[in-house]
Amino acid sequence: GAGVSQTPSNKVTEKGKYVELRCDPISGHTALYWYRQSLGQGPEFLIYFQGTGAADDSGLPNDRFFAVRPEGSVSTLKIQRTERGDSAVYLCASSLKGVLGTDTQYFGPGTRLTVL
Amino acid sequence: GNSVTQMEGPVTLSEEAFLTINCTYTATGYPSLFWYVQYPGEGLQLLLKATKADDKGSNKGFEATYRKETTSFHLEKGSVQVSDSAVYFCALIMQGGSEKLVFGKGMKLTVNP
């Protein structure tokens, strides 16, 4: 596809359940990023992949959050034992190389997660 | 740590008014600076960027100049349009460090005809 895609666009779950959020980056982009945006706030960094490996996971809030990118393309963000405080829009972005701090990151439309 | 502070809204302007959105940053090294925009119902998209001091980014009539001496990257437009109504985010990435974007809180702009 032409842009970053994310599925599902909306996810409603109950407290304590497990969820997976998927991101398809722009073809050929080696760097992939996950951010979380709460209402009225700017996006906050969660994790950054360079190829298949997590180059920086310092933004993951706790060990309930985990992300993978096994083949260096599609990525899945996994949240275990969801809590109401996890409710937010989860954004995925990709960039061509993700080096030198000058690449443009292209964002997907986001997945709105609501934990009841 | 590294952070971005931008003026808080919401702001309402009339069409053809002049726009300035202030953005200052705190960084331990040398950042690249970005303005992202989120139009109603759409995803975040890059508006403009600058990667070194005194560079000016421009796009769609918007401009911002990287001022290292004042650690600022203020966004300006001479004459806003109704279609500029959106939320604007200032952000930085540390060059030579992690590639994570650090965002400000965003400012909602509404332009009335």
Side-chain angles (χ1 to χ4, degrees):
Chain A
V4 177
S5 61
Q6 293 184 245
T7 54
S9 55
N10 276 286
K11 177 70 177 178
V12 180
T13 190
E14 293 180 344
K15 181 176 178 296
K17 299 289 189 184
Y18 168 82
V19 296
E20 290 189 351
L21 312 179
R22 176 188 167 106
C23 172
D24 270 284
I26 293 171
S27 178
H29 280 193
T30 60
L32 184 145
Y33 315 79
W34 284 99
Y35 295 85
R36 178 169 71 174
Q37 186 174 19
S38 300
L39 194 63
Q41 302 295 315
E44 293 180 318
F45 171 79
L46 294 176
I47 186 169
Y48 150 55
F49 287 90
Q50 185 59 256
T52 61
D56 182 355
D57 64 357
S58 62
L60 295 177
N62 51 59
D63 61 6
R64 295 187 297 105
F65 288 74
F66 190 71
V68 295
R69 195 186 184 200
E71 297 177 357
S73 178
V74 170
S75 176
T76 305
L77 179 65
K78 308 180 181 193
I79 310 174
Q80 298 178 324
R81 304 183 304 281
T82 52
E83 299 178 357
R84 292 193 181 89
D86 298 335
S87 296
V89 177
Y90 289 80
L91 299 172
C92 177
S94 69
S95 68
L96 188 59
K97 293 184 180 179
V99 296
L100 301 180
T102 57
D103 268 5
T104 296
Q105 294 183 24
Y106 296 88
F107 283 80
T111 293
R112 182 176 298 278
L113 175 66
T114 303
V115 182
L116 300 177
Chain B
N2 304 315
S3 65
V4 173
T5 302
Q6 58 178 113
M7 61 186 285
E8 299 193 14
V11 169
T12 301
L13 295 175
S14 297
E15 207 164 24
E16 299 183 4
F18 183 83
L19 170 70
T20 299
I21 305 177
N22 289 340
C23 171
T24 57
Y25 66 88
T26 301
T28 53
Y30 203 100
S32 296
L33 302 172
F34 303 80
W35 277 100
Y36 276 84
V37 59
Q38 195 166 33
Y39 296 104
E42 299 185 18
L44 267 174
Q45 54 187 275
L46 178 71
L47 180 59
L48 52 84
K49 70 179 184 182
T51 59
K52 59 182 188 291
D54 300 325
D55 268 3
K56 178 186 286 187
S58 61
N59 186 25
K60 299 182 179 180
F62 290 89
E63 291 184 339
T65 301
Y66 188 139
R67 300 286 187 201
K68 192 177 179 187
E69 63 275 14
T70 55
T71 61
S72 65
F73 193 54
H74 304 321
L75 183 68
E76 295 184 337
K77 186 173 186 181
S79 177
V80 293
Q81 306 300 312
V82 172
S83 57
D84 294 326
S85 298
V87 181
Y88 292 82
F89 295 93
C90 187
L92 65 80
I93 291 179
M94 294 310 301
Q95 296 184 27
S98 171
E99 294 294 306
K100 62 184 178 185
L101 276 162
V102 176
F103 285 90
K105 289 188 176 181
M107 197 209 77
K108 183 176 181 180
L109 170 68
T110 301
V111 180
N112 291 324

